[in-house]
Amino acid sequence: RDVGTSDGGSVAWLSAVAASVSRGRRSDTHRRRPDRSRSVTFLRKNVMEQNRWDELRRETADKLRRVHERIAEAATRSGRTPESVKLVTVTKYVTGAEGMEAALFDAGCVEFGESRVARLLKKWAFLNEASQKSDGEIPYPDPRLIKWHFIGPLQRNKVRRLLPYVSLIHSIDTLELFKTIVRIMREENDPTTRSFPREESILPFPKKIPVLLEVNISGEENKHGFQPESFLEQVAPCFEKRERVEIRGLMGMGGLASTPDEVRRQFARLR
């Protein structure tokens, strides 16, 4: 979301620096006056940053409260408890520096979803560094306190880099991807099966990784996943020799252009 920009502060800071440089080029015969504009500009910028953070935090907490109210109402209508529904906040369209993750974490969210491996790792590294600094206006969370969900298509050549950082993979859409995860988990946890050096990672490799099997319940060609008609035949091998990989359940997405009634029927197929 757009939470405002710091263009005004940046322009003012650059103007102050330009003015200082310009004064520095004057003849030494000119008496220089103390330049307080730079310190004033930095103070103004800090105040602006703090105001933006306060506004973002209040707005995020208010919207999150309304989402939880809607979840509670829907759960009650279907005979479920609100506590049985887990909310994963998808932050794939914002960078860590914008403060959205910090605002969500401040409001009580600990489950974050990302759809690209490179973006997740970059955000994790940023939060890991920023959370150790105490001089900023935004209290960035330690990424170790966040449960990261991977919700996008996963390429097999990126599995090894991703696994140490996620608590759940939602998008196992082919048998080949599942077998790749099983093989890498075995290699990384059993040194006798690994004939190459382990890739450097800040976090240790997990002993077990939970996954969801993705089913294309909408039938859309641009959607990934196993086909519902032959689902049991396709996934049967996933339940053989799956040590260190825990199948938690199924994942499906309703059709983008489907009506609410059509979406309900699609998810009924998933059940």
Side-chain angles (χ1 to χ4, degrees):
R1 57 170 275 105
D2 182 12
V3 295
T5 67
S6 58
D7 292 347
S10 299
V11 171
W13 181 82
L14 290 173
S15 299
V17 172
S20 178
V21 172
S22 176
R23 283 191 293 271
R25 292 175 179 172
R26 295 179 182 178
S27 170
D28 290 339
T29 58
H30 289 83
R31 184 179 179 181
R32 298 180 182 176
R33 296 181 179 178
D35 180 19
R36 298 187 178 87
S37 61
R38 189 170 181 178
S39 61
V40 171
T41 299
F42 278 121
L43 177 61
R44 184 184 303 118
K45 184 178 180 181
N46 289 340
V47 171
M48 291 170 62
E49 290 291 342
Q50 185 63 52
N51 290 342
R52 272 194 295 270
W53 161 244
D54 290 339
E55 180 182 355
L56 175 61
R57 182 173 57 179
R58 287 193 300 268
E59 194 172 302
T60 301
D62 181 61
K63 290 184 176 181
L64 189 62
R65 176 185 55 77
R66 282 181 277 166
V67 169
H68 279 299
E69 289 175 354
R70 293 177 60 189
I71 290 175
E73 292 171 0
T76 301
R77 286 197 303 270
S78 61
R80 300 175 60 181
T81 62
E83 293 75 23
S84 67
V85 180
K86 179 180 292 185
L87 174 64
V88 177
T89 55
V90 178
T91 55
K92 62 181 182 178
Y93 293 122
V94 296
T95 65
E98 294 178 37
M100 181 57 70
E101 289 84 2
L104 288 166
F105 188 82
D106 182 77
C109 290
V110 294
E111 314 266 354
F112 290 177
E114 291 286 337
S115 62
R116 294 182 182 274
V117 175
R119 188 175 296 169
L120 188 154
L121 297 182
K122 182 178 180 181
K123 185 174 295 184
W124 200 100
F126 170 82
L127 292 175
N128 185 49
E129 180 178 353
S131 62
Q132 299 177 28
K133 300 177 181 179
S134 59
D135 57 345
E137 290 78 18
I138 300 178
Y140 292 105
D142 185 336
R144 295 169 184 80
L145 302 178
I146 295 172
K147 294 181 179 179
W148 297 94
H149 296 242
F150 190 78
I151 62 174
L154 178 58
Q155 295 174 297
R156 284 181 286 168
N157 62 349
K158 296 181 180 179
V159 168
R160 198 180 301 271
R161 295 177 59 205
L162 175 71
L163 288 178
Y165 296 90
V166 292
S167 61
L168 179 64
I169 299 176
H170 293 229
S171 48
I172 305 301
D173 56 358
T174 65
L175 181 59
E176 290 74 18
L177 175 59
F178 184 87
K179 289 181 177 179
T180 298
I181 295 176
V182 170
R183 173 178 58 80
I184 291 176
M185 288 294 294
R186 182 175 62 250
E187 291 174 349
E188 292 293 340
N189 284 281
D190 185 357
T192 63
T193 64
R194 189 174 66 248
S195 59
F196 49 87
R198 172 174 286 177
E199 291 190 19
E200 185 175 349
S201 172
I202 298 177
L203 299 178
F205 221 85
K207 299 297 182 183
K208 181 172 284 190
I209 184 71
V211 303
L212 301 178
L213 303 179
E214 181 175 357
V215 185
N216 186 356
I217 57 175
S218 69
E220 295 174 312
E221 295 183 359
N222 62 337
K223 288 286 197 321
H224 299 265
F226 296 98
Q227 297 304 313
E229 295 76 16
S230 55
F231 175 72
L232 294 179
E233 297 176 13
Q234 296 175 73
V235 304
C238 294
F239 293 89
E240 304 171 2
K241 299 180 180 180
R242 55 185 176 96
E243 64 275 10
R244 300 193 182 279
V245 178
E246 177 188 358
I247 300 176
R248 286 272 183 90
L250 308 179
M251 188 276 277
M253 293 186 289
L256 186 61
S258 302
T259 65
D261 286 339
E262 290 172 338
V263 170
R264 292 188 186 96
R265 287 194 293 269
Q266 291 164 6
F267 280 106
R269 298 183 69 190
L270 190 63
R271 288 197 295 271

